[in-house]
Amino acid sequence: MEHPEELDTERLFQRFYRADPSRHTGGAGLGLASVKGLMEKMGGSVSASVHEGCLVVALYFL
């Protein structure tokens, strides 16, 4: 993906979601879904945003 601004940051944490379906690299789209699940089990949360052309993933512990 050439333009991070095109990322759907709300969907990044859904199971099997792949931001760029044209890529044929290994991966099932489970990584960030696993992060979200683990964070919720530990009482935290996770969010993603695009800031100045970079993807930012933030982990929050309550």
Side-chain angles (χ1 to χ4, degrees):
M1 176 159 293
E2 292 184 29
H3 304 284
E5 296 81 14
E6 296 174 5
L7 284 173
D8 186 352
T9 56
E10 295 297 319
R11 292 189 62 206
L12 284 178
F13 300 100
Q14 291 179 358
R15 289 177 55 170
F16 307 115
Y17 175 72
R18 297 176 80 182
D20 189 353
S22 67
R23 291 189 177 194
H24 298 290
T25 60
L30 293 173
L32 289 176
S34 297
V35 168
K36 180 180 178 186
L38 289 169
M39 287 299 295
E40 289 174 351
K41 287 183 183 207
M42 294 187 295
S45 63
V46 62
S47 68
S49 62
V50 176
H51 182 69
E52 296 182 5
C54 294
L55 175 63
V56 177
V57 177
L59 307 175
Y60 301 95
F61 288 97
L62 306 175

